[in-house]
Structure formats: C-alpha cells, structure tokens
Amino acid sequence: MTVLPAREGYRLWASEYDNETAVSYLENRVIGELGIYTNGCALLDVGCGTGRRLRNIDAALAIGVDLSLEMLAYSGVEHPTAAADARALPFPADSFDVVWCRLMIGQLAEIDAAYAELARVCRTDGVVIVSDLSREASLAGHRRTFRDANGEEHEVEHFVHTLEEQTRSAMRAGLQPQQCREGVVGLNLKQFYAEAGRLHAYEEQRGMPLVMAVAFEKRSA
C-alpha cells in the first residue's frame, strides 16, 4: 500500500469518495449531537471534499472549500465552491456564522495557521466545528485508506493532533472550547466492519472512540 500526500490521495479518491464509511457515518452523528444548527446561517465548509455535507443544507449561505480540484469536480452541489488551502482562505474576516473543518485537520502537520484562518473568517459569537479521527483510533491502526478506480489500495498521509493540542491552537487563535463529543464503535458500525472483512477488528474495538468533534466559540476580544 502506498502512502500519499493529501493532494495526490484525494485526486485519486475523488470518484469514490462519496461512498459512506464507518468514520463518515459516525462523524455525521457526532456533529448532530453537538446541536449547532445552521438554519439561516452563513456556513463555510473547509475541506468540503465532494460537497456531500452541503447537500440539503438549510443554511442561508453555504460555501465549500477544498484543496483538491478533483474533489470539487465531483461535488455536483448548487452552492458555490472554491479551491483553496485551509491556511489561506479567500474570504474576508468575520464572514461566517458557522465554520466547519470536518475530517480534514489531520491532513496538516502543523495546525496553528489553519486554526488562525478558521477563527479569522468566523464572526464574533460564531462557532467553529473541528472533527477528526481520535487519537485512540489512530493508535488502534485506523488509517484513511481507499481503493482507486483501478482497485489499487492507498493510504492518505495523516497527522495525529490530540484534543489538548488542538484546544491550545484554537485558543491562541481566539477561540474558546464550548463542547466536545466522541463517537464510539458500537453496533451501528458493525455492518461497515463486516463489509470490509474486519469483524475481528470490530470485536476488538467496540467501545473505542473512533472520531471526535469539538465546537469552539469566537468571543469578542
């Protein structure tokens, strides 16, 4: 299996990326548990991939950003999208009520610049939501793997950032932690493990945190 940098990995993954995985399924549930509603808000999805999270969104304004042109080419969403780096977002300060950075922060070896940008484009009293694989999941061997159109398996390079590390980075950027949720491996994920031929791993990992999500609030200075 080859380990690829994010840009190359997602270029090859784009055509199959919309297929639901245990991680994406559980992450969606955890985000819902945070209870940060988007109805009528201005929303930015940083690392939107194919834009699947923007489909059927109830935000008044929703924009997706991704580094991969190939991912954006498969988006098929009505909302505007832009190719950009999370560390240099092409938007004015204080533009969005809710900023998502979901299952993307682990693509970066260093996260301070990304958190600074997430905070910059968020309005005062707005919310920044960041999710990723948990440290426990990474230690248990979970990786961002996929098969390309030719059936060849690849792994996307991933960097582990602990909750403590991310909280410190967020606070340096002017964000305050509001709440955190973990999604654990349970019966609702068994079918995903079965389809991947990894039921043995399911039995070993039941109850283990697989994904984490944190909501940060941008408060006035």
Side-chain angles (χ1 to χ4, degrees):
M1 186 189 313
T2 55
V3 180
L4 303 172
R7 188 189 292 269
E8 176 63 11
Y10 287 111
R11 181 184 72 80
L12 295 175
W13 195 354
S15 63
E16 304 296 325
Y17 188 75
D18 268 5
N19 295 334
E20 191 83 275
T21 66
V23 171
S24 63
Y25 172 83
L26 188 58
E27 192 266 356
N28 274 324
R29 294 193 57 164
V30 172
I31 294 298
E33 291 172 3
L34 289 173
I36 307 298
Y37 300 107
T38 59
N39 184 31
C41 293
L43 167 73
L44 177 65
D45 187 358
V46 179
C48 69
T50 57
R52 61 186 177 188
R53 294 184 294 257
L54 297 177
R55 294 166 193 158
N56 303 314
I57 195 73
D58 58 359
L61 170 68
I63 299 176
V65 168
D66 201 273
L67 188 63
S68 169
L69 287 170
E70 290 77 14
M71 283 285 199
L72 294 175
Y74 279 92
S75 67
V77 297
E78 297 178 356
H79 304 287
T81 58
D85 192 305
R87 295 161 292 190
L89 296 171
F91 305 104
D94 308 313
S95 293
F96 300 95
D97 303 297
V98 179
V99 179
W100 285 345
C101 182
R102 297 171 58 178
L103 299 177
M104 192 285 291
I105 201 75
Q107 307 304 315
L108 304 174
E110 191 281 323
I111 60 175
D112 276 357
Y115 267 103
E117 279 293 271
L118 297 174
R120 182 184 67 81
V121 300
C122 185
R123 292 170 179 157
T124 300
D125 298 326
V127 178
V128 173
I129 297 176
V130 179
S131 67
D132 206 2
L133 284 173
S134 70
R135 180 175 180 272
E136 291 86 350
S138 295
L139 292 175
H142 276 273
R143 300 291 184 267
R144 285 194 169 95
T145 60
F146 68 97
R147 292 189 182 277
D148 62 24
N150 297 317
E152 185 176 351
E153 189 172 13
H154 305 280
E155 176 183 336
V156 179
E157 187 176 36
H158 178 75
F159 301 93
V160 179
H161 303 294
T162 65
L163 174 60
E164 292 75 18
E165 178 187 356
Q166 295 199 54
T167 299
R168 288 194 296 269
S169 186
M171 293 181 71
R172 283 193 290 269
L175 300 172
Q176 294 296 320
Q178 185 184 64
Q179 55 176 317
C180 178
R181 292 287 187 277
E182 289 182 332
V184 303
V185 176
L187 282 173
N188 57 352
L189 298 185
K190 187 174 182 179
Q191 185 61 32
F192 291 101
Y193 280 82
E195 290 171 356
R198 302 187 71 240
L199 278 176
H200 65 286
Y202 168 77
E203 296 298 336
E204 293 172 357
Q205 296 174 10
R206 285 184 65 179
M208 180 193 75
L210 181 60
V211 297
M212 70 170 185
V214 188
F216 299 98
E217 182 180 5
K218 182 177 178 180
R219 298 175 184 168
S220 57

PDB file of all heavy atoms in Angstrom, residues 72 109 176:
ATOM      1  N   LEU A  72     -13.686  18.752  -5.946  1.00  0.00           N
ATOM      2  CA  LEU A  72     -14.692  19.767  -6.262  1.00  0.00           C
ATOM      3  C   LEU A  72     -15.397  19.458  -7.580  1.00  0.00           C
ATOM      4  O   LEU A  72     -16.583  19.761  -7.732  1.00  0.00           O
ATOM      5  CB  LEU A  72     -14.039  21.142  -6.319  1.00  0.00           C
ATOM      6  CG  LEU A  72     -13.477  21.669  -4.990  1.00  0.00           C
ATOM      7  CD1 LEU A  72     -12.745  22.983  -5.212  1.00  0.00           C
ATOM      8  CD2 LEU A  72     -14.568  21.832  -3.953  1.00  0.00           C
ATOM      9  N   ALA A 109       0.374  18.836   8.990  1.00  0.00           N
ATOM     10  CA  ALA A 109       1.382  18.511  10.007  1.00  0.00           C
ATOM     11  C   ALA A 109       1.404  19.558  11.113  1.00  0.00           C
ATOM     12  O   ALA A 109       1.679  19.253  12.275  1.00  0.00           O
ATOM     13  CB  ALA A 109       2.758  18.405   9.347  1.00  0.00           C
ATOM     14  N   GLN A 176     -12.664  29.746  21.926  1.00  0.00           N
ATOM     15  CA  GLN A 176     -12.842  29.120  23.229  1.00  0.00           C
ATOM     16  C   GLN A 176     -13.610  27.800  23.079  1.00  0.00           C
ATOM     17  O   GLN A 176     -14.638  27.761  22.400  1.00  0.00           O
ATOM     18  CB  GLN A 176     -13.612  30.047  24.168  1.00  0.00           C
ATOM     19  CG  GLN A 176     -12.871  31.310  24.539  1.00  0.00           C
ATOM     20  CD  GLN A 176     -11.599  31.032  25.325  1.00  0.00           C
ATOM     21  OE1 GLN A 176     -11.575  30.157  26.196  1.00  0.00           O
ATOM     22  NE2 GLN A 176     -10.546  31.774  25.033  1.00  0.00           N
TER      23      GLN A 176
END
